[in-house]
Amino acid sequence: MSVNTGFEFVTEHVMPIIRSLIAKRLTLVGFSQLRIAKVLGITQPAVNRYINKDEGKLLGKIRELGIDSGWVMGIVDNVVRLVMEGREYEALEYLTNEIALELGSLRLCNAHRRVVPTIPTTCNVCSILLAGISDSVIKNLERALSILESHPEVRYLIPRVLMNIVEAKPNAATEDDVAGVPGRIGVFENRVVIGSRPSYGGSKHLGRLIVRVMAHKPQYRSVASIKYDEEVEEAIKSSGFRYSKVGPHEKPNEDEVVDNVTDAIRREPDLDVVIDLGGYGLEPVTYVFGMDSVDTVMKIIKIASHMKLTS
């Protein structure tokens, strides 16, 4: 048996690919190699090597290892967006948190085993990282809420029943394993206002929904509820997100909404958004899904940017 750890595997086989893809994205948006070097904490010659790597080969290596390329590209896109907003420390926190969560949930085990075949199939050493998973999820949600507050255009997407967002622990079993905002998210004087600090069980409805969805798509650990109207739907289309509609319901209730939205994801796992058309006494709502709360918030901001352009 080898004592090659999950940390070594990530450092040697995963992070170089993620760094290369981040460097390439930052180059495309106009960052100099020197600035990218400072962001990534490496030398300028190293940046030059990274940006000259073939992206197809990088993604091919990810697929060869059996790692979810959607997870990798989601991390890359979100880190780049945070860096572009001047949130470099938050980008570092986010990247570290995502790697730790993926290792701790044992989703990188098979990839690690392809590199080091002597690791037994019963190995669960990295699960010790789950000891601090509760704080990691709360901190990630706080980070997402902070980003949300800094984008006042999101106010156009807050429904009458107010907005909420949740993030679940990996392998969450009940809504008590899901953190949300107990006071929800509203608007005051054209500002996005967070009702209270996030906590576990902060949104029973969204908590139940994401736990059900994770049974069909474990990559999704977060969902947010925003408003729905035709303008929002056009903004979703303009953003390039995949979406589906369910409802309207004859006798609407939360159980039926959870069932219908979950079934939509089960049928089409690549959906980013599911629109529930509501029913008598039940406001239509748009559900935006992401691999974590930061990913979900970035999608919401993209939708809001198209609302702002068309309103």
Side-chain angles (χ1 to χ4, degrees):
M1 152 126 192
S2 171
V3 291
N4 181 285
T5 68
F7 298 108
E8 290 171 281
F9 167 71
V10 167
T11 300
E12 296 171 7
H13 298 278
V14 181
M15 283 307 301
I17 295 174
I18 290 177
R19 284 198 195 95
S20 291
L21 293 169
I22 290 172
K24 284 176 170 292
R25 293 293 187 278
L26 291 175
T27 299
L28 288 175
V29 297
F31 278 53
S32 68
Q33 289 190 18
L34 185 59
R35 190 176 175 192
I36 294 170
K38 290 179 179 178
V39 169
L40 296 180
I42 56 178
T43 65
Q44 184 271 326
V47 171
N48 189 57
R49 289 195 298 273
Y50 277 143
I51 64 177
N52 284 311
K53 289 181 182 291
D54 182 86
E55 184 166 328
K57 290 182 179 178
L58 292 171
L59 293 176
K61 179 62 176 177
I62 286 293
R63 289 190 290 269
E64 185 182 311
L65 288 169
I67 296 174
D68 180 7
S69 59
W71 173 72
V72 172
M73 295 310 298
I75 287 177
V76 170
D77 289 344
N78 292 333
V79 167
V80 169
R81 288 170 188 164
L82 289 170
V83 170
M84 288 174 63
E85 290 190 2
R87 297 171 176 265
E88 292 178 14
Y89 181 74
E90 287 177 293
L92 170 63
E93 277 192 324
Y94 172 72
L95 178 57
T96 303
N97 194 59
E98 283 303 306
I99 294 296
L101 285 169
E102 200 72 2
L103 272 174
S105 61
L106 307 180
R107 286 196 289 263
L108 294 178
C109 291
N110 288 336
H112 189 189
R113 203 170 286 113
R114 291 188 185 193
V115 175
V116 187
T118 55
I119 295 174
T121 56
T122 55
C123 176
N124 65 353
V125 170
C126 290
S127 64
I128 61 173
L129 293 171
L130 291 174
I133 206 81
S134 295
D135 285 345
S136 295
V137 169
I138 291 290
K139 286 179 180 177
N140 212 41
L141 188 50
E142 288 178 334
R143 186 178 303 116
L145 293 170
S146 173
I147 296 168
L148 205 62
E149 285 181 303
S150 68
H151 286 268
E153 66 270 26
V154 171
R155 69 185 186 274
Y156 297 120
L157 295 176
I158 295 179
R160 290 192 300 272
V161 293
L162 302 185
M163 174 183 169
N164 213 329
I165 181 171
V166 299
E167 179 171 328
K169 298 177 185 178
N171 308 316
T174 72
E175 58 263 32
D176 292 329
D177 295 322
V178 183
V181 183
R184 300 194 182 187
I185 301 164
V187 180
F188 179 72
E189 294 183 347
N190 292 328
R191 293 185 297 109
V192 176
V193 178
I194 310 302
S196 60
R197 187 176 184 275
S199 63
Y200 283 94
S203 173
K204 296 294 185 183
H205 173 59
L206 292 185
R208 288 175 55 227
L209 175 59
I210 197 62
V211 168
R212 289 279 303 279
V213 165
M214 286 171 68
H216 303 287
K217 183 156 184 171
Q219 294 92 335
Y220 279 164
R221 293 190 299 105
S222 175
V223 62
S225 54
I226 62 175
K227 82 173 186 180
Y228 170 72
D229 59 25
E230 291 183 359
E231 189 177 5
V232 172
E233 185 172 351
E234 285 303 312
I236 292 168
K237 286 181 185 176
S238 299
S239 300
F241 292 131
R242 292 153 294 193
Y243 76 98
S244 179
K245 294 182 184 178
V246 298
H249 313 285
E250 290 185 14
K251 297 179 179 179
N253 59 72
E254 286 194 356
D255 289 338
E256 186 175 346
V257 171
V258 169
D259 288 344
N260 287 185
V261 174
T262 301
D263 283 345
I265 296 290
R266 179 183 57 78
R267 290 191 301 270
E268 299 180 72
D270 290 335
L271 292 175
D272 300 288
V273 176
V274 178
I275 295 167
D276 181 82
L277 295 174
Y280 181 75
L282 185 67
E283 182 179 0
V285 170
T286 301
Y287 294 98
V288 182
F289 292 89
M291 64 183 189
D292 55 65
S293 51
V294 172
D295 189 41
T296 300
V297 161
M298 291 301 189
K299 290 180 179 179
I300 291 170
I301 290 169
K302 187 173 184 180
I303 295 169
S305 71
H306 285 278
M307 288 285 292
K308 192 175 182 182
L309 289 172
T310 57
S311 61

